[in-house]
Amino acid sequence: MSTPETNRVWRLTERPTAAFSPDEHVELATAPVPEPADGQALVRVTHLSLDPTIRGWMQQDTYLPAIGIGEVVRSMGIGEVIASKSDKYPVGALVSGLTGWQEYVLAEERGAGALQILPEGTDPLVAISLFGPTGLAAYFGLLRVGELKEGDTVLVSGAAGATGSVVGQIAKLKGCRVIGTAGGPEKCAYVVDELGFDECVDYKADDVAKTLRSAIGPDGVDVYFDNVGGPLLEMALSNLALHARIVICGAISQYDGAAPKGPRNYSNLIVKRAKMEGFLIFDYAKDHPQAFADLGQWAGEGKVNAKVDLEHGIEAVPPAFTKLFTGGNVGKNAVAL
């Protein structure tokens, strides 16, 4: 394969303080395809993972530094090694890591530019979803932070999304009663009929608090896995069981320009002797192999499936990203380049 000459990249041009706009905050630019030096490999990016955390990286320092103005937008991706001057990266290997919104990237042997080599024959869509950040977040958030036990009542916000959909399926195979929240009757039907949740509450419908309380029942929620924040977090805090565990994975309702709203009823944590904890998948890096093994086994048995909402082409990346904040996607949001 001859090495291409032009690399198309999406660069950050302005920090979004309100809703992300493809026309205002990023631009599609061209750059020369980089030549690998000793210890490097050239990777053709095949798939990009679009995750809510990218919105935070655009705006400010978080657990990683903010993306610099003029820099390639940071994101996780999957790619194929097409040229190599490194023993670590053989030509033809499938790799994953922080590739950014671009068509080609250099892989380093160590440090921030290092990429992970995936097992031969790995399906890229499985790698970017079930074995990617969202699948790992579901696994560690529910099982480690949430300390899931058989018979628990589990509430999952964003149940039709990439992480929430996997959370609910794991909870079901572990013998729990699972309730989800999602936007609209079609998504709620998907959550119950295809993912196997026991119930799903439409947060866009009238009198959500009453409907959610009825679905949960008088004994309350043992584990709340929160991907949304805002009013739904308050509703969950009002329906806790004794010694409940609240897992804070995300707060997507607060990301895209909305004024942050904290829970007004957090004192119910005292009344119910409950705990609320945030986490990152990096906290459990040494246990990722066990997570991959378990998730792979469950997927092979047909107990956990990860739906991918796939768009195509480098031009489609920013519009596809906006779907995360408008409820336009079901499952994992990704782009094939």
Side-chain angles (χ1 to χ4, degrees):
M1 174 186 292
S2 61
T3 302
E5 297 181 356
T6 301
N7 183 23
R8 290 186 294 173
V9 305
W10 282 103
R11 300 189 186 279
L12 185 68
T13 56
E14 183 179 331
R15 299 202 184 282
T17 56
F20 170 77
S21 168
D23 296 328
E24 296 177 10
H25 301 127
V26 293
E27 69 174 2
L28 185 60
T30 58
V33 172
E35 285 279 345
D38 289 343
Q40 296 179 328
L42 179 63
V43 174
R44 179 177 63 85
V45 181
T46 60
H47 295 80
L48 291 175
S49 174
L50 303 182
D51 301 294
T53 191
I54 298 170
R55 176 62 179 76
W57 294 339
M58 289 178 174
Q59 186 166 345
Q60 61 193 6
D61 293 341
T62 55
Y63 55 91
L64 291 177
I67 301 165
I69 298 298
E71 291 182 354
V72 177
V73 176
R74 181 190 301 133
S75 76
M76 183 264 185
I78 306 290
E80 179 187 358
V81 176
I82 62 170
S84 181
K85 292 184 178 180
S86 166
D87 293 337
K88 177 180 178 180
Y89 300 109
V91 172
L94 194 68
V95 295
S96 70
L98 291 176
T99 62
W101 286 3
Q102 58 187 335
E103 295 176 313
Y104 298 92
V105 65
L106 285 177
E108 307 280 351
E109 290 187 342
R110 59 186 62 86
L115 300 179
Q116 177 184 359
I117 297 179
L118 299 174
E120 187 175 351
T122 300
D123 183 339
L125 296 184
V126 175
I128 212 167
S129 57
L130 198 58
F131 295 158
T134 48
L136 292 173
Y139 180 94
F140 290 112
L142 183 64
L143 301 181
R144 298 293 182 84
V145 182
E147 300 174 353
L148 188 73
K149 300 188 295 290
E150 183 177 358
D152 279 344
T153 293
V154 179
L155 176 64
V156 185
S157 63
T163 301
S165 60
V166 177
V167 170
Q169 292 176 87
I170 295 175
K172 284 301 297 180
L173 70 86
K174 292 292 186 179
C176 298
R177 177 171 172 259
V178 185
I179 302 157
T181 67
E186 290 185 2
K187 285 189 176 182
C188 284
Y190 164 73
V191 166
V192 173
D193 298 340
E194 296 192 38
L195 299 179
F197 284 52
D198 295 285
E199 295 189 57
C200 187
V201 174
D202 181 359
Y203 71 81
K204 294 183 178 180
D206 295 334
D207 210 352
V208 180
K210 181 178 179 180
T211 304
L212 189 61
R213 181 179 293 276
S214 176
I216 292 168
D219 294 333
V221 169
D222 298 296
V223 178
Y224 174 48
F225 196 106
D226 189 23
N227 296 298
V228 173
L232 280 173
L233 175 56
E234 287 196 354
M235 293 178 204
L237 288 171
S238 295
N239 289 277
L240 298 179
L242 197 64
H243 301 300
R245 289 84 70 199
I246 298 94
V247 181
I248 304 298
C249 181
I252 198 167
S253 71
Q254 313 293 294
Y255 292 163
D256 207 12
K261 297 178 181 178
R264 294 167 294 183
N265 56 343
Y266 71 92
S267 61
N268 207 33
L269 294 167
I270 303 169
V271 176
K272 295 296 184 180
R273 282 82 98 197
K275 71 175 184 178
M276 184 161 64
E277 182 178 352
F279 74 103
L280 296 173
I281 61 172
F282 309 118
D283 301 338
Y284 302 95
K286 66 180 179 62
D287 295 326
H288 284 189
Q290 183 60 56
F292 293 143
D294 289 342
L295 290 166
Q297 177 183 338
W298 298 333
E301 294 170 348
K303 295 178 179 178
V304 175
N305 298 293
K307 183 180 179 67
V308 179
D309 193 327
L310 191 65
E311 302 285 350
H312 295 269
I314 190 75
E315 299 87 351
V317 175
F321 181 60
T322 64
K323 292 167 63 176
L324 288 169
F325 308 101
T326 60
N329 68 296
V330 175
K332 176 67 185 180
N333 210 13
V335 174
L337 300 186

